[in-house]
Amino acid sequence: LSHLEDGFHALHDTCLHRGASLAAGPLEDGILTCHLHFWCFDARTGASTQVPGLALRVFNIKTEEGDVYVEV
């Protein structure tokens, strides 16, 4: 789950390269980077920035009265 300037976004936490948790990596300028092998993903869309057509699963988000709900 990330909170960017345009709102909340939720992606699957597992890197598609070697299965590492993406939560352990940095999030800068909307790009989430795997801490093990530096694969990068757009935190809004889940799309890989390096491999065209490769993307993380994206979860729907709903905010209501300050609460964030993620559809899994």
Side-chain angles (χ1 to χ4, degrees):
L1 181 66
S2 60
H3 184 218
L4 303 173
E5 61 276 354
D6 64 340
F8 289 95
H9 303 275
L11 303 172
H12 194 267
D13 181 43
T14 304
C15 181
L16 299 173
H17 176 230
R18 292 278 178 122
S21 171
L22 292 170
L27 173 64
E28 294 181 30
D29 297 324
I31 301 298
L32 183 59
T33 303
C34 179
H35 71 286
L36 291 182
H37 300 104
F38 308 105
W39 277 40
C40 298
F41 301 90
D42 185 309
R44 291 170 183 85
T45 66
S48 168
T49 62
Q50 297 145 311
V51 182
L54 190 66
L56 298 169
R57 181 176 174 200
V58 176
F59 297 96
N60 291 324
I61 297 273
K62 180 171 93 172
T63 56
E64 214 172 78
E65 298 181 17
D67 295 323
V68 179
Y69 298 92
V70 180
E71 182 182 334
V72 292

